[in-house]
Amino acid sequence: MNISFSSMFFHDATLEDIFRVPGISGADSMEFWLETPDFWLKGLHIDVLKKLVAQYPTKAPLSVHAPVLDLNPCSINPDVREISIRWIERSIKIADSLGASVCTIHPGRRTAKRPPTITDYQRLGHMLDSIEKTAEEVRVKVAIENMEPAVNALLTTPEEVMKILEERSWLYFTFDFAHASGSGADIVSSFLEHGKERIVNIHLSGGRNGFMHGPASEDRKVLPFLTELADTKYDGQITLEINDLVLQKELSYHEKTNFMKSEINWVKDAF
């Protein structure tokens, strides 16, 4: 397996400084969020990304995370649905052009903060049907992510995820440990047991002070999970998806690289 990190941890850094991090921190790769501000807000220059990928090669291919913050492919607003699906397709193509191994996508959510209905799952099915042709034409693996069990969330249980995967042979799975762990160790184990053949990326983080996506090393539930993961012979990517705002204090770029190096070493030592 290879150990990666999310580019969004370095939220305020320049693209070049972000691409320096794997070499400094010992990361094998990086998950590049297209919403990383220095890319997203400055013209979306794909040629710049390609140059940085070539200039700062990583031990394993990087992965890409499609934009999700303002988008929702299951929205009741047809215009929001359309642009969300177009951005997922665009993200897949960008990931492929960068030589990425995985492009992670989100399933969307019910617009109202109410439990999803059959209509919301039909919209999810429409999104997947819409991107299927694009996904089958590229080398990058398109992986859908399980969501935190919020009231309006889709794909929060192993059963929901496996149903989607069983219906679509071209689709893979990004397992988010933090999203699942709040439901208990049995749910985490069920995701691993039933999804292990399709998991290509694992988002790893811990809980902290009631918040999600804190340091993995500070959550006592993470180490047993890594032990269980090792038993499955998983050999894909583990991505440290840590929210810098959850940390006890604001860190400088230098402090963030040292922090990430420490977290990466902790995960490697766990194996």
Side-chain angles (χ1 to χ4, degrees):
M1 69 186 70
N2 64 79
I3 313 299
S4 175
F5 65 91
S6 169
S7 63
M8 290 294 262
F9 182 71
F10 296 87
H11 193 270
D12 299 319
T14 66
L15 283 179
E16 184 154 11
D17 277 345
I18 292 171
F19 274 84
R20 293 179 195 272
V21 174
I24 299 171
S25 66
D28 299 307
S29 184
M30 170 174 61
E31 179 176 76
F32 186 78
W33 277 62
L34 295 183
E35 290 160 311
T36 300
D38 198 44
F39 174 72
W40 191 246
L41 301 176
K42 294 185 178 179
L44 305 169
H45 295 299
I46 306 300
D47 57 329
V48 173
L49 276 186
K50 289 181 177 179
K51 288 178 181 178
L52 289 168
V53 170
Q55 185 176 352
Y56 297 100
T58 49
K59 295 176 184 177
L62 81 163
S63 60
V64 166
H65 200 299
V68 299
L69 298 180
D70 291 321
L71 302 175
N72 180 13
C74 294
S75 173
I76 59 172
N77 184 320
D79 295 330
V80 173
R81 284 202 306 273
E82 180 183 356
I83 193 64
S84 299
I85 292 170
R86 283 168 54 193
W87 256 109
I88 292 171
E89 291 177 325
R90 186 175 178 182
S91 301
I92 294 168
K93 293 175 181 177
I94 291 172
D96 195 53
S97 73
L98 296 175
S101 58
V102 177
C103 180
T104 292
I105 64 174
H106 280 196
R109 60 198 175 277
R110 181 175 179 179
T111 301
K113 290 189 177 179
R114 295 171 178 266
T117 66
I118 185 62
T119 306
D120 300 293
Y121 285 96
Q122 288 170 344
R123 294 191 183 106
L124 172 58
H126 170 69
M127 179 270 279
L128 293 170
D129 291 343
S130 298
I131 69 170
E132 180 174 353
K133 185 174 184 294
T134 299
E136 290 186 327
E137 291 175 343
V138 296
R139 294 163 297 176
V140 63
K141 293 177 178 177
V142 179
I144 199 159
E145 181 178 342
N146 61 298
M147 294 291 101
E148 176 190 4
V151 64
N152 59 335
L154 282 72
L155 300 194
T156 64
T157 68
E159 293 77 15
E160 288 177 305
V161 172
M162 291 314 302
K163 183 177 187 298
I164 290 289
L165 295 177
E166 287 168 359
E167 292 171 348
R168 294 168 173 83
S169 60
W170 56 270
L171 187 63
Y172 294 85
F173 181 27
T174 290
F175 174 56
D176 191 299
F177 169 78
H179 290 170
S181 64
S183 299
D186 289 345
I187 294 297
V188 171
S189 295
S190 182
F191 270 115
L192 283 187
E193 179 184 355
H194 297 293
K196 60 184 177 183
E197 301 299 327
R198 306 287 280 280
I199 296 174
V200 291
N201 192 4
I202 292 176
H203 286 172
L204 185 66
S205 62
R208 186 188 183 109
N209 300 326
F211 293 95
M212 196 174 293
H213 300 310
S217 62
E218 296 180 13
D219 187 334
R220 65 181 65 186
K221 298 187 295 295
V222 173
L223 195 55
F225 165 69
L226 293 178
T227 300
E228 185 177 5
L229 182 63
D231 291 340
T232 70
K233 310 299 183 185
Y234 176 72
D235 63 354
Q237 181 168 309
I238 294 179
T239 301
L240 288 163
E241 189 183 51
I242 299 172
N243 181 356
D244 62 323
L245 297 180
V246 174
L247 303 182
Q248 293 179 335
K249 66 173 185 175
E250 184 176 349
L251 302 182
S252 67
Y253 171 77
H254 178 69
E255 290 171 327
K256 281 187 173 182
T257 55
N258 285 337
F259 169 87
M260 191 55 66
K261 182 176 182 178
S262 176
E263 286 291 293
I264 289 167
N265 287 337
W266 183 85
V267 173
K268 289 182 176 180
D269 288 345
F271 294 100

